[in-house]
Amino acid sequence: MTVSWENNYFAVRLGVIGARRYEKVSYPLYYGEYGVIETASDLLHFNREHEIIRAQGKGESWPHRNEWLKRSLGDDWLYYSTGGYTGVFETLGEFYLPNLPYPTNNLLGGHPLRDQAVRRVIDGWPRQVAACLEQAEEAPEAVKIFLRTCLAKTPEKLAAKSVAIFANYGGRPSVLPPDARHVDYQLIPVNIASGCLYKCRFCEVKNRTPFRAALASEVSRQMVGVKELVGADLANYGAVFLGDHDALAAGGELILATLGEAYELFQLKDSLMYSSSAFFFASVASLSAAGDDFFARLARLPYDIYINIGLESADQETLHYLGKPLAAREVEETFARMQALNDRYPKLELTANFVFDDDLPTGHYPAFLKLVRDSLPRRKVKGSVYLSPLKFDQPSRLKTFDFNRLKRESRLPVFLYLIQRL
Ligand code: SF4
């Protein structure tokens, strides 16, 4: 039930139900259930656990009235920027560019997180809530309790909670699949395998541990742990991320069992979000080891499932340059199988990553176009290809030009891989 109350100093709305379906729109759309505190200078959103999750400044000094801050499950503040509405959708497949507080491969965007008005909101929200509580003498008890509980979830406690979530997972997920953009990166992390198979020389996100699949009992314990940590906000989640860098290498049976258990334990049928999704990474080796029967069973689960695979290049010299221990022929075969699976199963989407840089061997882009243009008889909307720059720096004009050219020529949707962590 929604409760609204206001005085001359602030307004509160409790139990607001926002959008229940993820949509790609060019205006702010807030998902799930949340509570709102509004003052003359700020708009603050809190989740069902009374933890701050979004914020926006008001007035002239705020960079743009359609832009806002989001605090992630990993306790990062991200600034959602329109990018001036020029090129963000074409580049990312989304209307908003999440500006991240750590180095990543941005082709767009400035540094809004350094903006004074933005810093004031990030650093000052507890003072705003405390000031509202001081002005709340006449407010109903429900409003006072809400304010007190929000205030008790201090930045230190929020940081400690994210540390507990990482510990439960077995470390912080250093990168989420690019397809997680379809649920605004709002997902419950469940780690079913640590490490990866290849340890490619170029990769910035790998860890050093040898690959190891988790035991089903460890995964079950972990799911109970994350459910407890997410608490009452669980109803705002409709998506699961199976970590870490190559969940498929943990084996089809573990994936099917984990997704089945997650659906029940996380009560995804009763989520405020209408559809359920699952995301994980795979590799050339793990995809080739997974039989057709696995994909048929996967497609019968009550999820939309996104599997992202780092192919990197279909050119042998480039694979060698990257230190990726694969033959170009294996990459071509994997790409062809991905297309076949995408055509066969409406609820599965397999997407691929390729590297993108000014200094790659000359065979890389022709080999890329041979796959994404010449090997396909027609344009397709499914099976996005993500380009991942090797260097996390400002874009060169050449890079931007190359990106646009590759996007135009490809018969699959092409986007930039914005490397976002949990
Ligand atoms: S690109 Fe993928 S397989 Fe290669 S090191 Fe990085 S995480 Fe591992």
Side-chain angles (χ1 to χ4, degrees), residues 4-186:
S4 300
W5 186 84
E6 64 179 272
N7 64 12
N8 286 338
Y9 186 76
F10 74 106
V12 162
R13 275 176 293 139
L14 307 181
V16 177
I17 304 289
R20 300 185 65 179
R21 211 178 282 290
Y22 291 99
E23 288 185 50
K24 302 190 191 304
V25 290
S26 58
Y27 53 85
L29 191 63
Y30 305 129
Y31 301 105
E33 182 183 339
Y34 53 95
V36 180
I37 300 175
E38 184 167 7
T39 67
S41 61
D42 294 291
L43 196 60
L44 308 174
H45 287 190
F46 297 80
N47 66 16
R48 288 164 54 99
E49 279 278 313
H50 303 92
E51 299 158 341
I52 191 157
I53 43 158
R54 283 184 293 268
Q56 190 184 37
K58 292 159 85 176
E60 297 274 294
S61 61
W62 189 253
H64 191 291
R65 70 187 169 85
N66 278 355
E67 299 181 347
W68 70 96
L69 284 160
K70 174 183 169 183
R71 197 182 62 83
S72 70
L73 192 62
D75 198 38
D76 283 326
W77 279 102
L78 320 178
Y79 184 87
Y80 277 59
S81 124
T82 63
Y85 295 111
T86 53
V88 173
F89 188 78
E90 290 74 14
T91 310
L92 297 177
E94 303 296 315
F95 283 99
Y96 280 92
L97 164 70
N99 290 266
L100 310 174
Y102 43 88
T104 187
N105 46 7
N106 263 350
L107 271 192
L108 308 154
H111 300 285
L113 288 162
R114 295 184 199 158
D115 184 287
Q116 263 194 351
V118 174
R119 290 294 348 151
R120 180 193 64 75
V121 174
I122 295 174
D123 299 332
W125 71 263
R127 279 194 300 280
Q128 290 283 342
V129 180
C132 292
L133 189 56
E134 276 175 22
Q135 303 287 331
E137 261 173 42
E138 309 289 319
E141 201 49 30
V143 169
K144 287 186 198 165
I145 292 172
F146 172 72
L147 293 171
R148 272 190 224 113
T149 323
C150 293
L151 196 56
K153 303 283 173 106
T154 59
E156 294 72 26
K157 286 203 178 129
L158 298 176
K161 176 164 169 175
S162 65
V163 169
I165 287 171
F166 304 151
N168 183 71
Y169 179 92
R172 182 175 202 165
S174 58
V175 58
L176 296 171
D179 311 305
R181 65 190 175 88
H182 297 308
V183 297
D184 195 26
Y185 300 88
Q186 192 74 12

Side-chain angles (χ1 to χ4, degrees), residues 105 353-357 386-390 392 415-417 419:
N105 46 7
N353 307 330
F354 286 85
V355 291
F356 173 57
D357 205 68
Y386 295 95
L387 296 180
S388 189
L390 288 182
F392 291 3
F415 300 109
L416 183 74
Y417 186 172
I419 294 194

Side-chain angles (χ1 to χ4, degrees), residues 161 164-169 188-190 217-231 234 261 265-266:
K161 176 164 169 175
I165 287 171
F166 304 151
N168 183 71
Y169 179 92
I188 304 170
V190 178
S217 57
E218 292 171 333
V219 175
S220 299
R221 253 199 319 276
Q222 196 196 125
M223 285 199 279
V224 170
V226 75
K227 179 181 176 178
E228 251 170 53
L229 286 161
V230 173
L234 194 71
E261 198 176 330
L265 189 72
F266 300 150

Side-chain angles (χ1 to χ4, degrees), residues 174-175 195-207 244-246 281-283 309-312 322-325 353:
S174 58
V175 58
C196 66
L197 301 179
Y198 299 130
K199 310 290 182 213
C200 316
R201 197 170 51 237
F202 80 99
C203 175
E204 304 256 354
V205 299
K206 65 175 172 277
N207 54 36
D244 204 19
H245 295 307
D246 191 350
F281 289 111
S283 63
I309 303 180
L311 296 180
E312 322 311 350
L322 297 171
K324 182 129 195 156
N353 307 330

Side-chain angles (χ1 to χ4, degrees), residues 340-412:
L341 290 167
N342 278 338
D343 291 344
R344 194 173 318 146
Y345 299 110
K347 282 166 73 71
L348 302 188
E349 180 162 1
L350 288 91
T351 65
N353 307 330
F354 286 85
V355 291
F356 173 57
D357 205 68
D358 292 342
D359 306 321
L360 293 169
T362 52
H364 175 62
Y365 293 120
F368 174 76
L369 287 174
K370 202 170 134 203
L371 286 188
V372 302
R373 182 188 60 196
D374 307 339
S375 79
L376 301 171
R378 61 185 187 302
R379 283 194 178 271
K380 295 162 122 188
V381 290
K382 198 172 159 206
S384 295
V385 167
Y386 295 95
L387 296 180
S388 189
L390 288 182
K391 291 187 233 46
F392 291 3
D393 55 6
Q394 284 303 307
S396 67
R397 287 169 69 93
L398 181 63
K399 228 190 246 177
T400 313
F401 174 78
D402 275 346
F403 176 82
N404 290 332
R405 182 176 66 87
L406 296 171
K407 187 175 174 72
R408 251 193 338 268
E409 296 204 20
S410 169
R411 290 186 167 158
L412 293 172

